[in-house]
Amino acid sequence: MGANSSSISELPENEYLQKLSGSEPISENDPFWNQLLSFSFTTPTNSADLKLLEEATISVCKSLVEKNPRTGNLGSLIKVFLSRTKELKISAECQNHLFIWQAHNALFIICCLLKVFISRMSEEELQLHFTYEEKAGPSSYGAECEDLIEELLCCLIQLIVEIPLLYPCQHTDSNWWKWLCSWYRGRYSGGVTSALGDITYSISLEAVTTLIVFLSCQLFHKEILRESIIHRYLMHGRCLPYTSRLVKTLLYNFIRQERSPPPGAHVFQQQTDGGGLLYGIASGVATGLWTVFTLGGVGSKASAQLEQCSPLASQSLLLLLVLANLTDAPDTPNPYRQAIMSFKNTQDNTAFSSSNPHAFQINFNSLYTALCEQQKSDQATLLLYMLLHQNSNVRTYVLARTDIENLVLPILEILYHVEERNSHHVYMALIILLILTEDDGFNRSIHEVVLKNITWYAERVLTEISLGSLLILVVIRTIQYNMTRTRDKYLHTNCLAALANMSAQFRSLHQYAAQRIISYTCRHLRRYVYVLDKLYFPHSHCSTLQHCFSTLSDNGEELLSLTCSHILRSYASSLFSLLSKKHNKVLEQATQSLRGSLGSNDSPLPDYAQDLNVIEEVIRMMLEIINSCLTNSLHHNPNLVYALLYKRDLFEQFRTHPSFQDIMQNIDLVISFFSSRLEQAGAELSVERVLEIIKQGAVALPKDRLRKFPELKFKYVEEEQPEEFFIPYVWSLVYSSAVALYWNPRDIQLFTMDSG
């Protein structure tokens, strides 16, 4: 920093940085600041570059941490930044044309220093660095600077909400912007809009980044911060009135996805001769500033993929998630969460509730489009979850959309590629589906949307399938993956809940979707018999039975022979007869017997024994889903009846099981009814003929013969203290995804590096 540094490696010896971190106080009026804020090196553009910068300047930062309580130079730097921003806002006749550039550079240095300070001290210690008071001299600042932190926070928020990013001359009545436009017209060959758009983009991004850094103290605590000095400033006092404007601006930054300025853009025309101090500062800015927020390593070009992303949109979304998940203050709820919960569509003319002063309006169509397009990122999926769960206006709007497939398909693709996603992303995507399936209108409409050629679904070529059938296929695949790999009880419970919510509205199920519902149920029925056999006869070695289950793979049920089915039938008959006497007591005795065979009552049970209750729960839920469909929409789903009849031998064995007897009544009745009609039609029936008989029989089956069960309906409810999950998750996203921010992983206390 300063005109003499041209590379990161030279920064530790830079005379200006040494003076900043030295033992002498520097007045905010000192000409030194003009030199310090004249960059002439390529500034970091990603976390790797920032790591190099931090490592190169660590000695400078340590020195400043040590000496600042006596010099107050950090406070002086902040006051320089505040003075530059204030003069920009109030002076249309300012003669120094470089305030905005110096403000940006000052903010970059402040952000870098704050990150080091916050990682090395408590908030109380940090506050002391902001309240330096020199006892003598014109630059003293004591009582009047008690709230320097609040002043800086408020200034950052004002920069974010008040600086226009595009076409500033056309979109603001601000006199200083009009003057700045006029000044640039004659000096920038590339056009006033481009020049101002680039620099305002950069300073807006730096302001967002600095706010994230201010809040990053949470990273260095294992426990959730419930009382924080920074939180208090943001939720009270001068910052509070900006709540709705800040949330709205951050949302619009996400919606617009504005690209970062191109690298190498120059604001000032080249001059061959000297231009005095002002030009010296300008040239330093021109050679270094414009690469601050262009992605790519030092001395290297950004990849095509990175060039297409929007650092400001990404960083704004991360800040929004951090703010929305701050814990409530003892005396007031989180105002940023309140704003997210209550904003309305710009087309909604109803009056705002007087109980929420932070409500605002935003274009829902633009928001919906952005949410559909950005679901590949964890943070966009988390935002969608928050809006659907907390904002009833957004939820109502989304459910009313006639192009709901644009939102659902990206969510399904996340679940389909579960192996490539972190567990939190998958969980959020699944909860979004669960929230959507709480609405009967959604459950009906998805079966009316016909999709063509789903290229990312690799198990089978799907040339034409309804959105509803595709959703069923993906959710069942997710359950199957979870049961065999991650074994997360909450994941498969929520998957089954989503299917259960949909089951009464199943319509015209694709033959493959119907087949997967039945075959997945059969897979667990077989697995259940196998586990019972192992529990009751732990020393038996029925090679044929074991062979049946050793051949089970993802689609292993298709490989079982009739011989295996016969053996399963004989085992099921005897086992279920035994179970029907005293179900729980028999299972407990079998478990104790297995422990005894392992040599100790304290020995852990094998996985298959521990899975028994889970398998039983899955079977019960799948049978209820099948029953719900048969009871409410049998005539709409001939393919499901066909698949059920194809596997009827296995289902018939479970009619006497004490846990499934009640739910099996309807399924057994349907199997018997349609089997009888098929027998009457004769042998060697084609698939088409069987389906025709099923369709005719569906009309003839007396509905009053089917037992009525309570409607399957599940509603998502956040667990108590959701912040214990969401705050570490959000900060893990900041740690891994924030633009040009780096924290030493050894310093992180909130989460482990493999969390998520």
Side-chain angles (χ1 to χ4, degrees):
M1 287 144 194
N4 295 329
S5 288
S6 59
S7 69
I8 288 179
S9 62
E10 299 176 12
L11 288 177
E13 288 76 38
N14 182 276
E15 60 178 304
Y16 301 104
L17 289 181
Q18 288 183 344
K19 184 174 181 179
L20 175 66
S21 60
S23 302
E24 295 298 321
I26 307 171
S27 165
E28 59 266 26
N29 299 317
D30 197 304
F32 160 81
W33 300 110
N34 285 333
Q35 297 297 323
L36 176 68
L37 302 181
S38 174
F39 292 174
S40 59
F41 74 101
T42 303
T43 49
T45 59
N46 53 44
S47 58
D49 293 346
L50 202 68
K51 179 182 178 182
L52 294 176
L53 174 63
E54 185 170 310
E55 291 172 346
T57 58
I58 190 64
S59 60
V60 174
C61 293
K62 285 182 177 179
S63 177
L64 186 61
V65 169
E66 177 186 350
K67 298 174 182 177
N68 185 71
R70 296 188 297 274
T71 66
N73 287 340
L74 175 63
S76 293
L77 174 60
I78 291 171
K79 295 187 82 176
V80 168
F81 166 71
L82 293 174
S83 68
R84 297 295 190 271
T85 57
K86 286 178 182 177
E87 290 180 67
L88 280 174
K89 295 172 184 175
I90 64 175
S91 177
E93 310 216 343
C94 170
Q95 296 302 306
N96 188 337
H97 312 310
L98 299 175
F99 281 159
I100 192 166
W101 312 108
Q102 290 192 346
H104 172 277
N105 293 351
L107 185 54
F108 173 75
I109 298 174
I110 291 169
C111 184
C112 292
L113 293 175
L114 277 177
K115 195 170 70 65
V116 176
F117 274 60
I118 289 172
S119 68
R120 292 175 174 270
M121 62 186 66
S122 67
E123 285 188 305
E124 290 74 17
E125 292 174 304
L126 178 66
Q127 196 171 30
L128 292 177
H129 282 270
F130 278 77
T131 55
Y132 162 82
E133 180 177 3
E134 189 178 20
K135 295 183 179 180
S139 64
S140 64
Y141 54 98
E144 75 276 7
C145 290
E146 270 183 7
D147 292 327
L148 192 58
I149 291 180
E150 182 178 37
E151 191 171 356
L152 178 56
L153 287 170
C154 195
C155 179
L156 293 173
I157 294 173
Q158 288 172 339
L159 282 175
I160 294 169
V161 303
E162 292 182 0
I163 290 185
L165 295 178
L166 293 175
Y167 309 105
C169 298
Q170 300 175 23
H171 289 273
T172 180
D173 294 328
S174 172
N175 289 331
W176 71 277
W177 272 114
K178 289 181 177 179
W179 168 82
L180 199 55
C181 289
S182 175
W183 183 83
Y184 267 111
R185 281 195 186 97
R187 295 178 176 264
Y188 182 63
S189 58
V192 60
T193 296
S194 176
L196 290 175
D198 289 349
I199 187 57
T200 57
Y201 187 104
S202 296
I203 200 169
S204 295
L205 177 53
E206 196 62 54
V208 171
T209 301
T210 306
L211 275 179
I212 292 175
V213 169
F214 251 124
L215 292 160
S216 66
C217 52
Q218 176 65 79
L219 282 172
F220 312 105
H221 293 79
K222 288 184 179 180
E223 303 298 326
I224 302 301
L225 292 179
R226 302 188 184 278
E227 292 189 17
S228 162
I229 294 173
I230 305 302
H231 296 185
R232 189 164 63 246
Y233 280 125
L234 289 171
M235 293 187 187
H236 298 84
R238 294 170 55 191
C239 295
L240 186 61
Y242 290 95
T243 297
S244 59
R245 292 179 63 190
L246 178 58
V247 172
K248 182 176 182 177
T249 301
L250 295 175
L251 277 172
Y252 268 126
N253 287 348
F254 166 71
I255 289 170
R256 289 167 179 152
Q257 293 290 315
E258 294 293 342
R259 305 297 182 229
S260 59
H266 289 269
V267 174
F268 297 92
Q269 296 179 354
Q270 295 293 328
Q271 296 184 18
T272 57
D273 54 357
L277 174 62
L278 201 59
Y279 175 72
I281 298 173
S283 63
V285 172
T287 57
L289 177 66
W290 287 106
T291 54
V292 172
F293 296 114
T294 55
L295 298 178
V298 174
S300 64
K301 294 183 178 179
S303 67
Q305 180 181 1
L306 289 177
E307 287 177 350
Q308 293 303 311
C309 75
S310 171
L312 181 59
S314 175
Q315 211 87 324
S316 295
L317 178 53
L318 289 172
L319 176 57
L320 181 63
L321 295 175
V322 170
L323 291 171
N325 285 282
L326 296 179
T327 55
D328 293 337
D331 56 343
T332 183
N334 180 346
Y336 302 96
R337 186 183 303 119
Q338 284 189 312
I340 286 178
M341 293 172 61
S342 58
F343 71 80
K344 303 190 302 183
N345 194 354
T346 50
Q347 297 180 352
D348 187 344
N349 296 321
T350 59
F352 286 112
S353 170
S354 58
S355 61
N356 188 353
H358 307 299
F360 61 91
Q361 289 180 298
I362 202 168
N363 188 310
F364 275 18
N365 182 61
S366 299
L367 177 61
Y368 180 81
T369 301
L371 288 169
C372 293
E373 293 175 348
Q374 301 300 322
Q375 283 307 304
K376 289 184 179 180
S377 74
D378 282 71
Q379 44 268 41
T381 304
L382 180 54
L383 175 64
L384 175 58
Y385 158 79
M386 287 171 48
L387 296 179
L388 289 176
H389 178 56
Q390 299 178 1
N391 190 312
S392 59
N393 299 318
V394 173
R395 184 168 60 252
T396 300
Y397 177 86
V398 168
L399 290 170
R401 292 285 301 207
T402 57
D403 59 348
I404 193 66
E405 67 274 13
N406 291 338
L407 186 67
V408 175
L409 280 174
I411 298 299
L412 294 183
E413 198 166 352
I414 292 170
L415 294 176
Y416 183 79
H417 296 293
V418 59
E419 302 92 341
E420 304 168 11
R421 305 289 181 177
N422 72 69
S423 59
H424 290 354
H425 197 186
V426 171
Y427 190 71
M428 287 297 100
L430 181 57
I431 296 303
I432 287 169
L433 287 185
L434 179 55
I435 293 173
L436 293 174
T437 60
E438 293 171 10
D439 183 76
D440 287 341
F442 171 84
N443 295 330
R444 286 190 295 270
S445 65
I446 56 176
H447 292 287
E448 299 169 359
V449 178
V450 178
L451 308 170
K452 306 282 187 180
N453 299 318
I454 307 301
T455 55
W456 47 262
Y457 193 91
E459 277 78 359
R460 180 169 296 197
V461 176
L462 300 176
T463 56
E464 185 173 293
I465 188 172
S466 71
L467 179 60
S469 290
L470 180 63
L471 194 157
I472 292 168
L473 288 174
V474 172
V475 171
I476 289 178
R477 185 180 185 274
T478 305
I479 303 174
Q480 190 164 309
Y481 176 84
N482 178 64
M483 293 289 288
T484 57
R485 305 282 184 85
T486 57
R487 306 166 74 85
D488 182 340
K489 180 179 180 180
Y490 293 102
L491 190 65
H492 82 252
T493 299
N494 285 299
C495 283
L496 291 169
L499 290 177
N501 283 345
M502 296 167 56
S503 59
Q505 278 83 36
F506 283 171
R507 295 290 188 276
S508 304
L509 291 181
H510 190 279
Q511 61 179 8
Y512 185 49
Q515 175 192 329
R516 294 297 292 134
I517 292 172
I518 300 301
S519 63
Y520 181 73
T521 307
C522 290
R523 176 185 176 84
H524 283 284
L525 292 174
R526 294 190 183 97
R527 179 72 183 173
Y528 186 73
V529 175
Y530 172 70
V531 172
L532 285 179
D533 173 70
K534 295 285 285 183
L535 276 174
Y536 285 112
F537 310 107
H539 301 295
S540 67
H541 299 283
C542 177
S543 59
T544 307
L545 182 61
Q546 291 177 353
H547 173 71
C548 289
F549 288 97
S550 68
T551 59
L552 283 176
S553 60
D554 286 346
N555 293 305
E557 63 273 2
E558 303 297 338
L559 304 176
L560 291 173
S561 64
L562 291 175
T563 303
C564 292
S565 296
H566 174 74
I567 295 172
L568 287 172
R569 185 181 300 115
S570 63
Y571 268 89
S573 178
S574 59
L575 290 175
F576 295 166
S577 176
L578 181 62
L579 280 174
S580 63
K581 299 175 181 177
K582 291 183 179 180
H583 180 236
N584 293 331
K585 186 171 182 61
V586 170
L587 284 180
E588 182 181 350
Q589 290 174 348
T591 302
Q592 292 299 324
S593 175
L594 178 58
R595 288 190 187 276
S597 69
L598 294 173
S600 171
N601 286 335
D602 297 327
S603 300
L605 290 171
D607 285 345
Y608 67 82
Q610 297 179 35
D611 287 348
L612 186 63
N613 287 335
V614 175
I615 296 172
E616 190 169 307
E617 289 174 6
V618 171
I619 292 174
R620 173 77 190 188
M621 184 63 77
M622 290 302 297
L623 291 176
E624 288 186 352
I625 289 168
I626 294 169
N627 178 73
S628 175
C629 177
L630 296 178
T631 304
N632 293 283
S633 56
L634 183 148
H635 58 291
H636 289 299
N637 294 287
N639 285 327
L640 185 68
V641 177
Y642 183 98
L644 182 62
L645 293 174
Y646 189 76
K647 299 286 186 179
R648 61 182 178 270
D649 285 351
L650 186 57
F651 280 89
E652 287 171 351
Q653 308 314 311
F654 282 78
R655 65 175 62 157
T656 59
H657 191 288
S659 294
F660 312 135
Q661 274 182 321
D662 58 337
I663 205 71
M664 281 298 300
Q665 290 180 18
N666 285 343
I667 296 175
D668 194 39
L669 186 151
V670 169
I671 289 174
S672 299
F673 178 83
F674 285 98
S675 294
S676 174
R677 295 182 74 91
L678 290 176
E679 289 174 3
Q680 295 173 13
E684 303 298 329
L685 299 175
S686 66
V687 173
E688 292 75 15
R689 177 56 181 154
V690 171
L691 286 172
E692 183 181 347
I693 294 171
I694 290 173
K695 291 175 183 177
Q696 294 170 352
V699 178
L701 176 65
K703 300 299 185 293
D704 57 357
R705 293 181 59 187
L706 296 175
R707 177 183 171 184
K708 296 295 183 183
F709 286 84
E711 185 180 13
L712 286 180
K713 275 297 175 186
F714 295 87
K715 184 177 179 61
Y716 170 71
V717 178
E718 279 187 347
E719 294 188 7
E720 293 183 7
Q721 297 185 322
E723 65 274 8
E724 297 289 344
F725 170 83
F726 285 103
I727 290 178
Y729 179 34
V730 168
W731 278 107
S732 72
L733 295 179
V734 174
Y735 175 83
S736 61
S737 306
V739 178
L741 275 177
Y742 166 79
W743 288 276
N744 190 325
R746 293 191 298 270
D747 296 335
I748 304 300
Q749 298 293 317
L750 181 62
F751 53 83
T752 57
M753 290 301 105
D754 59 350
S755 66

